[in-house]
Amino acid sequence: MTQHTPQLAEVHPRVLVIDDSEDVHRLLRVRLKNEELILDASLDGPAGLAAAKDNPPALILLDLDMPGMHGFEVLRRLKEDAKTQAIPVIVLSGNCSSEDKVAAFDLGAVDYVGKPFEFTELRVRVRSALRLQRLMQMLSQRAQIDGLTGLWNRAFFDQRWLEEYARCVRHGHALSVALFDIDHFKAVNDTFGHPAGDEVLQGVARILRQECRQTDLACRFGGEEFVLVLPDTDSEEAARLAERVRHAVEEAIWPRHPTHRVTISIGIAGASGSTKVSEAEWVEAADRNLYAAKRSGRNRVIATDVTLGITTLTRKSA
Amino acid sequence: MTTPTPHTPLRSSLAGDPDMAELVDMFLEELPQRLTVLTTAVDTGDIETLRRLAHQLKGAAGGYGFDPIGKAAGSLEALLKASGDASQSQLSSMAGSIADLKTLCERALLGRTH
């Protein structure tokens, strides 16, 4: 799944089974083999938690009575961790007391299946949980996508920027953020009408998507502003990518106003490694560069390395 | 209807299911080892191992088409749970339940096709 083109998860959902009984894993592999899903197996709670965190599955089937860590403790930890809390969990248990069922649902399980299970029943319950999970995912992804351009929206940027910033600080990876603003956008709207303005927004979004790599994150920041998060990319490299976008936008011919070209200004703040700059100051630095690009004549890229304070001004087109 | 004796083979209710044949064979291949663990656990008074074995058989045997084994394991597990910290002496009160489970496992082994 690429990050700049939001998509639904893989075609075959992965289901993680956490059960200490090798028999259960074997039986499920055979009984669910026609379900078009990928089964992962963990034989105890800690291994299951690690697997769920490492590569979050679409659904977890969780046994309760396991040596070491009880299933309820596994469930509690799954629901505590932001990375795993949204994964639906079906509890499998040989104990069908009402107390256990209530406790399981209270802890956040979506379903409870008694052991020994009737496989036809388990199959339909797995299907139902996966269907629900897919709908939930669709809804939450809708809420993160900008309707007009299909890029990620501001809320998604805010969340992911914090994550990428934390990663950069922790591991010392390079990271850049680039703010894009369409020059004189209001004039396009006023002169050619809002449909023409929308077409420009969609066109710039398309160019951003084309120039992005899989790991880059293209978002609509608001109005006629876009933002790119570029992991493992220093300010110089980010400036080269931004320059390609700037050039492509400048060259584009717009069907509704073929003689009226559109340009964009770009402000970039990047770091080649860990930095003391806060995540807010970082975006502010990019915004200051965008403002400077606008003030100095538009249609240009200005980039700063926040660790060094070096500003690179790339060429303004003729 | 004949009453099953210890010598009547117990066959998997899923023996005719082609998807399951291999798994049933595998279960039967591993059953003697489980029986050994069961016997040793009883002899040494290893309640925890006995409880785990009963628990796993309760959950799994039915899945392989051996419902009677699953039910017998379930009864034994219930007895073990009810007695809490069962001691060696209390184990003797479960001798009947343990013997039932063993007999069923042995009958399942008699039913092996090869």
Side-chain angles (χ1 to χ4, degrees), chain B residues 3 7 11 13-14 16 18 27 32 37 57 70-73 81 83 103 107:
Chain B
T3 319
H7 306 294
R11 292 192 199 281
S13 61
L14 300 171
F27 175 73
V37 173
L57 278 178
K71 290 212 177 73
K81 267 194 180 148
S83 65
T103 305
R107 285 179 49 210

Side-chain angles (χ1 to χ4, degrees), chain A residues 96-149:
Chain A
C96 286
S97 73
S98 235
E99 283 127 328
D100 269 12
K101 285 184 188 170
V102 169
F105 282 104
D106 273 350
L107 282 167
V110 298
D111 207 349
Y112 193 106
V113 179
K115 270 192 199 173
F117 15 81
E118 212 285 291
F119 286 95
T120 317
E121 180 191 327
L122 180 69
R123 215 155 26 218
V124 294
R125 287 183 185 273
V126 164
R127 268 184 220 161
S128 152
L130 285 172
R131 192 162 50 229
L132 208 61
Q133 187 268 347
R134 207 178 141 74
L135 287 172
M136 294 290 285
Q137 199 187 25
M138 224 149 79
L139 267 181
S140 77
Q141 212 164 62
R142 275 282 156 81
Q144 292 171 334
I145 292 172
D146 174 59
L148 181 67
T149 61

Side-chain angles (χ1 to χ4, degrees), chain A residues 166-204:
Chain A
R167 228 169 60 87
C168 165
V169 170
R170 200 166 51 241
H171 303 296
H173 291 167
L175 175 65
S176 290
V177 62
L179 288 174
F180 296 70
D181 191 279
I182 301 172
D183 298 327
H184 301 299
F185 180 69
K186 196 171 171 297
V188 175
N189 269 332
D190 291 349
T191 317
F192 307 105
H194 285 277
D198 286 353
E199 190 183 74
V200 168
L201 289 170
Q202 288 167 331
V204 171

Side-chain angles (χ1 to χ4, degrees), chain A:
Chain A
M1 163 173 156
T2 62
Q3 302 220 287
H4 59 279
T5 26
Q7 274 173 1
L8 280 175
E10 57 246 286
V11 187
H12 292 305
R14 274 184 325 103
V15 176
L16 173 65
V17 183
I18 308 175
D19 196 310
D20 63 308
S21 161
E22 191 66 67
D23 292 307
V24 169
H25 292 290
R26 260 186 226 160
L27 290 166
L28 286 177
R29 265 198 296 278
V30 168
R31 292 309 198 173
L32 296 175
K33 74 169 189 194
N34 294 325
E35 290 302 292
E36 303 209 315
L37 43 82
I38 301 159
L39 277 184
D40 285 347
S42 290
L43 283 165
D44 60 47
L49 283 171
K53 248 182 255 189
D54 190 44
N55 191 3
L59 173 67
I60 292 175
L61 304 182
L62 175 65
D63 182 30
L64 287 187
D65 191 341
M66 294 184 285
M69 192 187 290
H70 190 269
F72 279 154
E73 178 59 18
V74 179
L75 184 53
R76 204 181 56 71
R77 294 193 191 192
L78 283 169
K79 294 299 162 189
E80 236 174 38
D81 193 314
K83 267 182 130 172
T84 53
Q85 65 187 183
I87 306 169
V89 177
I90 297 180
V91 165
L92 309 173
S93 173
N95 177 4
C96 286
S97 73
S98 235
E99 283 127 328
D100 269 12
K101 285 184 188 170
V102 169
F105 282 104
D106 273 350
L107 282 167
V110 298
D111 207 349
Y112 193 106
V113 179
K115 270 192 199 173
F117 15 81
E118 212 285 291
F119 286 95
T120 317
E121 180 191 327
L122 180 69
R123 215 155 26 218
V124 294
R125 287 183 185 273
V126 164
R127 268 184 220 161
S128 152
L130 285 172
R131 192 162 50 229
L132 208 61
Q133 187 268 347
R134 207 178 141 74
L135 287 172
M136 294 290 285
Q137 199 187 25
M138 224 149 79
L139 267 181
S140 77
Q141 212 164 62
R142 275 282 156 81
Q144 292 171 334
I145 292 172
D146 174 59
L148 181 67
T149 61
L151 298 183
W152 298 106
N153 65 16
R154 173 67 183 268
F156 189 73
F157 164 78
D158 288 342
Q159 173 203 330
R160 284 300 305 274
W161 170 244
L162 285 182
E163 288 169 20
E164 290 300 333
Y165 172 81
R167 228 169 60 87
C168 165
V169 170
R170 200 166 51 241
H171 303 296
H173 291 167
L175 175 65
S176 290
V177 62
L179 288 174
F180 296 70
D181 191 279
I182 301 172
D183 298 327
H184 301 299
F185 180 69
K186 196 171 171 297
V188 175
N189 269 332
D190 291 349
T191 317
F192 307 105
H194 285 277
D198 286 353
E199 190 183 74
V200 168
L201 289 170
Q202 288 167 331
V204 171
R206 193 167 50 242
I207 291 168
L208 276 172
R209 254 198 300 265
Q210 277 161 6
E211 295 297 336
C212 271
R213 296 153 306 183
Q214 289 225 339
T215 47
D216 299 339
L217 214 65
C219 318
R220 184 165 177 208
F221 200 58
E224 67 269 29
E225 245 184 294
F226 298 88
V227 59
L228 273 188
V229 178
L230 306 162
D232 301 314
T233 308
D234 63 20
S235 58
E236 270 183 52
E237 214 181 318
R240 278 196 294 276
L241 188 149
E243 174 55 27
R244 285 201 300 275
V245 176
R246 188 204 63 73
H247 181 72
V249 171
E250 188 182 36
E251 293 291 302
I253 305 291
W254 305 92
R256 285 173 195 268
H257 42 84
T259 56
H260 182 95
R261 299 292 177 106
V262 173
T263 60
I264 55 171
S265 300
I266 299 130
I268 294 171
S272 44
S274 197
T275 169
K276 289 191 172 63
V277 175
S278 80
E279 76 278 3
E281 287 166 341
W282 195 323
V283 177
E284 280 162 24
D287 200 40
R288 267 199 306 280
N289 284 344
L290 174 59
Y291 184 66
K294 290 274 183 194
R295 215 178 25 194
S296 59
R298 299 185 170 81
N299 193 23
R300 71 193 61 201
V301 180
I302 296 184
T304 306
D305 186 318
V306 290
T307 49
L308 306 168
I310 294 170
T311 301
T312 325
L313 177 64
T314 68
R315 77 178 178 88
K316 177 187 187 291
S317 66

Side-chain angles (χ1 to χ4, degrees), chain B residues 13-62:
Chain B
S13 61
L14 300 171
D17 182 340
D19 279 352
M20 292 300 295
E22 201 179 317
L23 279 195
V24 172
D25 286 349
M26 211 188 277
F27 175 73
L28 289 174
E29 263 166 44
E30 291 173 0
L31 202 51
Q33 196 199 334
R34 280 183 157 145
L35 270 173
T36 309
V37 173
L38 173 75
T39 309
T40 313
V42 171
D43 290 349
T44 57
D46 184 350
I47 306 294
E48 182 49 27
T49 300
L50 198 56
R51 196 190 69 78
R52 289 231 64 79
L53 190 79
H55 177 73
Q56 292 199 343
L57 278 178
K58 178 184 92 170

